[in-house]
Amino acid sequence: MANDSSHFDYIIIGNGLAGLQLALKFASDTYFDKKQIALIDPSTKKSNDKTWSFWEVNSTQWDSITYKSWGEALVITSNETIDLKLQPYSYKTIRAIDFYNEAKTKLKEHNNIHFIIDSVKSTTENDIVNVETTKHSYTATHVFDSRIPEEFFTITKKNISISQHFKGWVIKTKDNVFDENKVIMMDYRLKDGEQTTFTYVLPFSKTEALVEFTYFTEHLVEDDVYNHFLKQYINEYLKINDYTVIETEKGQIPMTNFAFEKFNTNRITKIGTGGGWVKGATGYSFKHTEKKISQIITNIKANKTPSNKLFKRKYKFYDKVFLKVLKDENDKGEWIFQQFYSKNAIQTMFRFLDEESTLLEDLKIMWSLFSWSFIKAFFKTL
């Protein structure tokens, strides 16, 4: 797969979820067979650095690498346990390493797709785009760039930004302790002060599960803080004393209304987290990535700017209101999610989070959150 020239039709910067999904979409469409495509990333993607979860009605192209799927879920708050029957949806999880391996295997079958192990230092846009890396310089007709814009980190008061940050352990137990048919989507009983924190449990079998302690807050915490809460949750809430930690994952996902889309140009399209593809209100990204990539492909074939119509304004507005409440009154998270899941059908909630809901469904969900906090946030957001 050597490409002797340094010019490509498309350069994808970053082999994460968005970069690899985009490359796979190019590879599966004969329209792009003659296009030379390069993926540039300093990492060879050989470790299981994260887990993606999503919900789905039908079987999909990811079925062969779906690690586990569930038909039931729980949302637990201090006041109630909400039992959710997910049909016709299934809640599914994919381990990053399985996704990376599958993507690399498929992409290596295509002579027009090239992997370059290198770090991008800068991009300059003229009639074509110059991409400077540590070792070389390349040119491209169009660049898809997953790097988060520098401006995001010098964020102003205009933008609301919260971090979804977490640490998870995959634990193995001697005894059968987990109900492997039920995901604990959110358990709010264990708190770090007056903040929005919850524990997430994905049972892979009766003796193995991912247990993750998550914050929706402005500030990060030290590593041992996560460890403290993970231990406490496993001991006191799961009632497990004897277990081994076999894997660890840690991450942070921006939940923000920062206008990533203003960094899209005619020749550079920001993708993934760097393109604002993570849903502001929840941090979910797997399905949103798939949809945005389909839109990009449609745009390219219609000779439009790839980033055309990537966002729906009403959902950006909803996310902003939600983020405003979480920023101003961070202890409200538990109440919000309790209202969400106790007063609305889970299927409606999934459609809403997938940005496929009708206006009537939106109004019902808004009504379930009707409170002074939301009214204030609504008007501040306007």
Side-chain angles (χ1 to χ4, degrees):
M1 284 196 308
N3 179 28
D4 300 328
S5 93
S6 60
H7 179 75
F8 297 92
D9 294 289
Y10 302 119
I11 287 178
I12 298 170
I13 302 172
N15 294 351
L17 181 67
L20 288 172
Q21 274 203 26
L22 177 60
L24 286 167
K25 202 78 171 153
F26 281 145
S28 68
D29 191 325
T30 52
Y31 182 91
F32 300 98
D33 281 356
K34 298 271 190 297
K35 302 284 185 196
Q36 293 299 319
I37 299 161
L39 293 109
I40 306 178
D41 193 302
S43 159
T44 51
K45 297 291 178 190
K46 287 205 167 104
S47 67
N48 188 42
D49 53 1
K50 49 177 74 78
T51 310
W52 290 293
S53 295
F54 56 99
W55 43 82
E56 197 78 85
V57 174
N58 303 311
S59 60
T60 64
Q61 57 172 331
W62 314 112
D63 285 0
S64 63
I65 54 167
T66 298
Y67 191 63
K68 175 101 173 114
S69 70
W70 300 267
E72 294 178 56
L74 289 174
V75 171
I76 306 170
T77 68
S78 315
N79 311 318
E80 63 178 314
T81 296
I82 307 161
D83 232 316
L84 303 167
K85 300 277 185 282
L86 307 181
Q87 291 71 12
Y89 287 90
S90 306
Y91 192 82
K92 299 180 177 181
T93 203
I94 288 179
R95 289 154 53 87
I97 190 67
D98 298 332
F99 171 75
Y100 298 146
N101 289 342
E102 165 92 345
K104 287 190 290 191
T105 305
K106 282 192 169 158
L107 294 171
K108 283 178 177 163
E109 292 167 3
H110 296 263
N111 296 329
N112 62 324
I113 294 179
H114 314 271
F115 284 90
I116 299 168
I117 306 298
D118 203 346
S119 290
V120 171
K121 293 198 298 198
S122 67
T123 54
T124 322
E125 182 178 357
N126 297 304
D127 295 340
I128 53 173
V129 188
N130 287 299
V131 178
E132 290 293 330
T133 67
T134 314
K135 299 176 196 157
H136 290 286
S137 58
Y138 302 94
T139 55
T141 310
H142 199 95
V143 167
F144 297 93
D145 186 357
S146 66
R147 296 170 306 155
I148 295 177
E150 280 304 312
E151 287 82 343
F152 174 72
F153 300 103
T154 54
I155 206 155
T156 61
K157 288 275 186 290
K158 278 212 310 276
N159 299 296
I160 307 166
S161 215
I162 283 173
S163 179
Q164 175 179 157
H165 53 103
F166 52 85
K167 184 171 184 180
W169 289 343
V170 176
I171 62 170
K172 188 108 179 106
T173 60
K174 286 202 171 58
D175 305 320
N176 292 343
V177 287
F178 299 110
D179 178 350
E180 59 186 324
N181 302 312
K182 235 179 226 187
V183 176
I184 299 177
M185 279 171 73
M186 294 176 154
D187 184 341
Y188 280 98
R189 292 171 299 173
L190 182 60
K191 290 185 169 41
D192 182 355
E194 295 290 297
Q195 304 182 96
T196 292
T197 58
F198 61 88
T199 313
Y200 173 62
V201 184
L202 288 182
F204 299 133
S205 71
K206 290 183 172 68
T207 58
E208 199 177 301
L210 169 65
V211 183
E212 203 150 80
F213 194 73
T214 303
Y215 288 78
F216 283 1
T217 55
E218 281 187 80
H219 305 290
L220 304 180
V221 296
E222 292 298 322
D223 202 49
D224 54 1
V225 177
Y226 301 110
N227 296 347
H228 164 78
F229 285 109
L230 283 166
K231 281 179 195 152
Q232 191 179 344
Y233 187 84
I234 293 165
N235 294 147
E236 293 177 20
Y237 293 88
L238 295 177
K239 305 274 190 277
I240 299 168
N241 298 314
D242 196 356
Y243 62 93
T244 318
V245 177
I246 54 174
E247 238 177 77
T248 300
E249 68 169 48
K250 198 174 167 188
Q252 68 182 90
I253 300 166
M255 296 166 66
T256 180
N257 70 325
F258 179 78
F260 290 99
E261 62 278 8
K262 72 170 188 243
F263 296 91
N264 290 325
T265 64
N266 286 333
R267 299 204 172 273
I268 298 177
T269 303
K270 301 298 275 185
I271 61 171
T273 307
W277 292 9
V278 171
K279 182 143 179 71
T282 56
Y284 278 108
S285 62
F286 197 88
K287 291 298 296 292
H288 288 280
T289 300
E290 222 174 345
K291 287 183 183 157
K292 302 250 187 281
I293 284 167
S294 288
Q295 183 64 44
I296 283 175
I297 300 289
T298 304
N299 289 340
I300 292 174
K301 288 173 155 182
N303 230 342
K304 292 180 176 158
T305 311
S307 53
N308 187 45
K309 294 207 170 120
L310 276 193
F311 295 96
K312 297 179 181 167
R313 280 179 59 188
K314 71 170 182 173
Y315 292 105
K316 276 194 147 336
F317 178 76
Y318 300 155
D319 283 349
K320 192 173 175 185
V321 174
F322 176 86
L323 286 168
K324 185 85 188 120
V325 175
L326 272 187
K327 188 180 164 85
D328 293 349
E329 306 178 63
N330 194 249
D331 60 322
K332 280 283 191 299
E334 175 179 12
W335 178 84
I336 293 169
F337 284 102
Q338 180 178 311
Q339 298 299 99
F340 260 156
Y341 290 110
S342 64
K343 298 207 167 166
N344 299 287
I346 183 68
Q347 294 78 5
T348 310
M349 282 307 306
F350 281 169
R351 280 196 295 279
F352 178 70
L353 295 172
D354 279 339
E355 304 192 346
E356 293 169 354
S357 50
T358 63
L359 192 58
L360 189 64
E361 288 173 326
D362 297 345
L363 292 171
K364 274 181 67 179
I365 288 168
M366 294 301 153
W367 183 248
S368 70
L369 294 173
F370 192 76
S371 68
W372 182 232
S373 301
F374 267 87
I375 293 165
K376 276 190 305 195
F378 181 84
F379 285 108
K380 281 181 184 167
T381 304
L382 285 181

